[in-house]
């Protein structure tokens, strides 16, 4: 999952890059390719079942890629709940159509997916959004081969507006 955060804090899902059936070397190469394509800030990997192997395989593909390993300590449903609230608030948007991801989002419940399989795309989405919004609180991140990119956008000033924006009585430059 590729996602980014705009200057106003809105998270945009940019690409569903989920893969299955690849060797560790192939998904690492795909992750590195996406990291380069989006000029991402980081590649964060959930390592609950891969341990140091995940970081080692990514480093083998490109030793320059910054990798942060994270561990899931709560179930998928509990991790997804705060992200679903962000969707309800309009703070997460899709920059495209992602039918397989959206199918998982609609089908996911307390017992997982109705098919019984793991909601891998949804889980990657939750890590992506969490990394971009709750990282300071949870140190959350993305599952490999997924990536995070913080988008920096410039908003042109309104005619006659002060330099920067007003916040609590003081100007804050962007």
């Amino acid at each position: 999952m590729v996602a980014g955060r705009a200057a106003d804090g809105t998270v945009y899902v940019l690409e569903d890059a989920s893969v299955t059936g690849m060797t560790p070397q192939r998904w690492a190469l795909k992750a590195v390719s996406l990291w380069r394509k989006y000029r991402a800030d980081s590649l964060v990997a959930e390592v609950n079942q891969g341990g140091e192997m995940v970081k080692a395989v990514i480093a083998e593909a490109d030793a320059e890629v910054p990798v942060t390993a994270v561990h899931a300590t709560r179930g998928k449903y509990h991790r997804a709940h705060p992200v679903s609230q962000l969707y309800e608030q309009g703070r997460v948007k899709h920059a495209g159509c992602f039918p397989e991801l959206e199918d998982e989002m609609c089908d996911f419940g307390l017992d997982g997916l109705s098919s019984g399989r793991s909601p891998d795309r949804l889980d990657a989405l939750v890590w992506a959004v969490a990394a971009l919004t709750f990282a300071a609180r949870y140190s959350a991140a993305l599952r490999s081969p997924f990536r995070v990119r913080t988008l920096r956008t410039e908003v042109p000033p309104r005619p006659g507006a002060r330099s920067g924006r007003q916040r609590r009585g003081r100007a804050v430059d962007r």
Side-chain angles (χ1 to χ4, degrees):
M1 204 60 56
V2 181
R5 187 180 66 223
D8 68 356
T10 303
V11 173
Y12 290 91
V13 179
L14 304 173
E15 184 176 340
D16 178 358
S18 304
V19 295
T20 59
M22 287 187 159
T23 64
Q25 290 77 17
R26 301 250 354 241
W27 64 248
L29 289 171
K30 179 167 176 101
V32 168
S33 172
L34 289 166
W35 183 80
R36 289 183 183 128
K37 175 182 174 181
Y38 286 94
R39 297 187 324 229
D41 296 331
S42 62
L43 175 65
V44 186
E46 181 183 344
V47 296
N48 288 20
Q49 298 183 8
E52 291 299 312
M53 185 272 301
V54 173
K55 291 194 319 188
V57 172
I58 293 170
E60 183 180 303
D62 186 339
E64 299 299 314
V65 176
V67 177
T68 302
V70 295
H71 302 271
T73 57
R74 301 185 309 167
K76 293 179 186 196
Y77 182 83
H78 294 291
R79 289 195 312 267
H81 189 266
V83 172
S84 70
Q85 291 177 326
L86 294 174
Y87 270 93
E88 288 178 15
Q89 296 166 4
R91 295 172 54 193
V92 180
K93 301 176 189 269
H94 292 191
C97 188
F98 310 112
E100 292 157 319
L101 168 63
E102 292 163 10
D103 285 348
E104 283 190 8
M105 292 172 74
C106 292
D107 187 36
F108 187 70
L110 278 169
D111 297 327
L113 296 176
S114 62
S115 66
R117 65 181 179 75
S118 178
D120 293 332
R121 293 172 194 278
L122 176 60
D123 197 28
L125 170 74
V126 167
W127 283 117
V129 173
L132 293 165
T133 55
F134 310 125
R137 196 173 352 159
Y138 297 116
S139 297
L142 300 175
R143 288 177 56 159
S144 65
F146 312 106
R147 314 174 20 140
V148 176
R149 167 117 172 116
T150 302
L151 301 178
R152 291 169 184 84
T153 58
E154 293 297 323
V155 179
R158 295 186 326 241
R162 296 181 188 179
S163 174
R165 64 173 198 210
Q166 275 314 109
R167 179 185 278 188
R168 294 188 186 136
R170 60 185 166 95
V172 179
D173 290 328
R174 293 183 186 200

